[in-house]
């Protein structure tokens, strides 16, 4: 039979992060002693005030179709929160669109902005879904490797090298999944000026903005002046900072013309995001009690980050890693761990699962298989035990003599 699938999905691959996590969950359900540090999902419960608002919404009958673009209360709450996070700059709720998770916000933005023959630059290593989303928009993703000396972030020079007449977009992620690196405001400004000079759209995925270990939220493109924001789209969401992954609420900030087109688009695809979940998210973005929960969760992530970094420094001093300044990922390099032939991230993760029962994600999923990603969005106890096991494998690998070397 001829292939029944259309060209639209010719590049489609399942999400590796979700696949590894599903497999680990299956093994745990069978009673196997495995630890899942693969998926990036907060281990905390949804803050009570947000959950309560969702329950009340159901009880109040908010169970019919929502307005296409999102309930006004949530669009306003997101606009107000973005404004507060950026020093009170005005943010108009008409420029906010609510979607079913920021994954849909990203897909919707890419589909409305890019198409055949367009190229979209993606600093790499990059979250698994960006290249896929660009492919689904029938455009071409172009990975731009970051500089290891610089936390694997890209500079204007790197972007210049990757740029061509066909380049139409750039997807930035800061704080970055998978590295935990954070762009400074000066770095963001340089990238925004570069994009403006070349008429390139920036989609800035700021879903981890609140999970920042410097003072306050991570720098945002919204901290820049209006002139630099004509062709800017900002992605926010409830999943990470508010521990609301299952509620599936994402938000896009962009120029009104784009937001209108994206609204029409989701009018034909999803009708808009889950109605009661929007009420829960409206509370999350606006309720002061939830703000206190966010502060507590970020403090817990910071403590785990410190613990992890400290143990890697003292117990695996030869292993290179990216200093995590935000999000909840730790990205470390495995190719030089043992003597002789370089080890790949995939081989390391396979061995780790087989011998120690810990799931991590090979860097290959993000475009560079010399590395491995560890997500520390797990309890302290799980982190401690899983880390014992990871460090034990590193130690074993490092002490095996290379074939042919002298004993
Ligand atoms: N962007 C990044 C960088 C992510 O890590 C995730 C996590 N899945 C998302 C977007 C999508 O999140 P969600 O759809 O849950 O809002
Ligand atoms: N963003 C998370 C991760 O990278 C969740 C899984 C996914 O959607 O890819 O692990």
């Amino acid at each position: 039979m001829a292939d029944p699938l259309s060209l639209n999905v010719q590049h489609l691959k399942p999400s590796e992060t979700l696949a590894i996590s599903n497999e680990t969950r299956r093994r745990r359900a069978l009673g196997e002693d495995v630890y899942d540090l693969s998926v990036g999902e907060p281990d905390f419960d949804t803050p009570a005030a947000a959950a309560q608002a969702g329950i009340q919404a159901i009880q109040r009958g908010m169970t019919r179709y929502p307005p296409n673009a999102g309930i006004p209360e949530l669009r306003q709450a997101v606009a107000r929160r973005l404004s507060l996070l950026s020093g009170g700059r005005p943010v108009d709720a008409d420029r906010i669109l609510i979607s079913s998770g920021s994954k849909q916000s990203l897909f919707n933005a890419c589909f409305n902005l890019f198409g055949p023959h367009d190229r979209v630059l993606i600093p790499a290593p990059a979250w698994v879904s960006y290249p896929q989303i660009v492919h689904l928009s029938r455009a071409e993703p172009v990975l731009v490797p970051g500089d290891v000396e610089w936390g694997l972030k890209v500079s204007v020079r790197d972007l210049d090298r990757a740029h061509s007449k066909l380049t139409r977009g750039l997807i930035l992620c800061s704080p970055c999944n998978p590295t935990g690196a954070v762009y400074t405001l000066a770095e963001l400004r340089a990238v925004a000026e570069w994009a403006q000079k070349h008429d390139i759209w920036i989609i800035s995925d700021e879903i981890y903005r609140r999970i920042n270990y410097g003072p306050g939220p991570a720098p945002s493109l919204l901290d820049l002046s209006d002139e630099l924001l004509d062709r800017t789209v900002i992605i926010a969401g409830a999943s990470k900072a508010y521990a609301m992954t299952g509620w599936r609420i994402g938000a896009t900030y962009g120029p009104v013309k784009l937001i209108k087109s994206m609204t029409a688009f989701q009018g034909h695809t999803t009708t808009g995001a889950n109605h009661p979940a929007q009420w829960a998210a409206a509370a999350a973005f606006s309720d002061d009690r939830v703000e206190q929960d966010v502060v507590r969760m970020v403090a817990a992530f910071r403590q785990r980050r410190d613990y992890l970094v400290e143990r890697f420094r003292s117990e695996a001093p030869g292993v290179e890693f990216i200093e995590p300044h935000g999000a909840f990922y730790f990205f470390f390099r495995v190719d030089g761990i043992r003597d002789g032939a370089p080890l790949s991230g995939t081989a390391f993760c396979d061995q780790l699962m087989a011998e120690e029962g810990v799931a991590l994600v090979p860097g290959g999923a993000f475009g560079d298989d010399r590395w491995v990603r560890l997500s520390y969005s797990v309890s302290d106890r799980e982190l401690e035990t899983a880390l014992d096991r990871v460090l034990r494998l590193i130690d074993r690998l490092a002490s095996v003599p290379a074939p042919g070397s002298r004993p």
Side-chain angles (χ1 to χ4, degrees):
M1 188 176 74
D3 190 344
L5 302 178
S6 89
L7 282 178
N8 292 341
V9 290
Q10 63 184 318
H11 298 285
L12 190 63
K13 283 195 303 193
S15 159
E16 283 104 322
T17 43
L18 294 181
I20 294 169
S21 172
N22 288 342
E23 171 60 11
T24 316
R25 238 181 257 182
R26 190 188 66 81
R27 292 173 73 152
R28 281 186 102 149
L30 293 174
E32 290 183 34
D33 171 33
V34 290
Y35 285 80
D36 186 5
L37 277 63
S38 66
V39 77
E41 173 165 46
D43 56 309
F44 300 104
D45 289 333
T46 295
Q52 205 52 40
I55 294 166
Q56 280 164 1
I58 296 171
Q59 288 165 339
R60 286 191 293 127
M62 301 297 176
T63 48
R64 297 173 191 272
Y65 287 133
N68 237 211
I71 56 171
E73 289 80 356
L74 177 54
R75 297 175 78 192
Q76 273 151 17
V78 173
R80 258 198 314 274
R81 179 60 57 202
L82 293 184
S83 165
L84 282 174
L85 292 177
S86 285
R89 83 170 285 143
V91 176
D92 187 349
D94 286 346
R95 296 184 65 166
I96 304 285
L97 172 69
I98 305 303
S99 302
S100 301
S102 63
K103 220 177 245 186
Q104 198 213 355
S105 311
L106 281 160
F107 172 69
N108 193 338
C110 286
F111 199 85
N112 276 266
L113 285 173
F114 312 129
H117 313 302
D118 290 336
R119 290 194 183 145
V120 180
L121 306 184
I122 305 177
W127 177 48
V128 289
S129 294
Y130 296 145
Q132 290 287 315
I133 287 173
V134 171
H135 275 311
L136 288 171
S137 308
R138 304 284 293 264
E140 189 190 335
V142 177
L143 293 186
V144 186
D147 185 345
V148 72
E149 300 300 322
W150 205 33
L152 289 170
K153 295 187 278 187
V154 296
S155 66
V156 164
R157 236 173 337 134
D158 300 319
L159 295 172
D160 262 334
R161 271 197 292 272
H163 174 256
S164 75
K165 279 203 301 271
L166 299 178
T167 308
R168 196 168 143 74
L170 163 67
I171 303 183
L172 263 193
C173 182
S174 176
C176 177
N177 177 3
T179 62
V182 176
Y183 284 74
T184 65
L185 188 58
E187 289 162 358
L188 288 183
R189 182 176 295 111
V191 171
E193 284 169 353
W194 178 86
Q196 190 179 54
K197 183 171 112 196
H198 294 287
D199 263 353
I200 286 170
W201 280 90
I202 302 185
I203 298 184
S204 181
D205 183 349
E206 302 186 0
I207 187 161
Y208 296 101
R209 186 173 177 205
R210 306 295 303 276
I211 306 172
N212 181 47
Y213 306 127
S220 158
L221 285 190
L222 266 185
D223 298 330
L224 302 177
S225 58
D226 279 343
E227 308 85 77
L228 283 173
L229 296 186
D230 284 354
R231 286 169 178 261
T232 296
V233 177
I234 289 169
I235 304 293
S239 285
K240 310 293 173 167
Y242 300 127
M244 290 180 70
T245 44
W247 298 80
R248 311 302 308 128
I249 296 294
T252 309
Y253 165 92
V256 170
K257 186 165 182 206
L258 172 67
I259 293 296
K260 281 197 171 139
S261 176
M262 288 173 64
T263 305
F265 177 81
Q266 72 182 27
H268 293 296
T269 50
T270 62
T271 304
N274 175 305
H275 195 172
Q278 293 196 48
W279 287 97
F285 276 92
S286 58
D287 193 304
D288 285 343
R289 290 167 298 175
V290 176
E291 276 307 291
Q292 288 163 19
D293 290 327
V294 172
V295 170
R296 268 194 292 276
M297 289 189 277
V298 174
F301 287 135
R302 180 202 305 267
Q303 223 172 9
R304 294 175 196 167
R305 188 269 318 244
D306 291 347
Y307 170 75
L308 191 53
V309 166
E310 169 51 34
R311 284 199 63 185
F312 257 80
R313 283 219 172 101
S314 59
E315 295 174 48
V319 174
E320 188 177 2
F321 61 83
I322 303 299
E323 185 87 37
H325 291 289
F328 33 61
Y329 303 110
F330 182 77
F331 207 56
F332 63 97
R333 192 159 173 175
V334 296
D335 57 334
I337 282 182
R338 63 167 189 214
D339 280 347
L343 186 66
S344 69
T346 304
F348 180 89
C349 289
D350 287 348
Q351 194 169 347
L352 184 67
M353 178 46 94
E355 295 177 11
E356 298 286 353
V358 176
L360 305 183
V361 184
F366 310 106
D368 189 338
D369 208 24
R370 293 171 301 176
W371 300 76
V372 165
R373 187 190 82 174
L374 179 157
S375 164
Y376 50 93
S377 51
V378 290
S379 71
D380 295 353
R381 196 192 50 76
E382 283 177 293
L383 181 61
E384 188 183 339
T385 310
L387 199 50
D388 288 345
R389 296 177 180 201
V390 171
L391 290 167
R392 196 156 63 201
L393 176 63
I394 291 176
D395 197 42
R396 262 203 317 279
L397 286 166
S399 50
V400 173
S405 67
R406 280 202 243 174

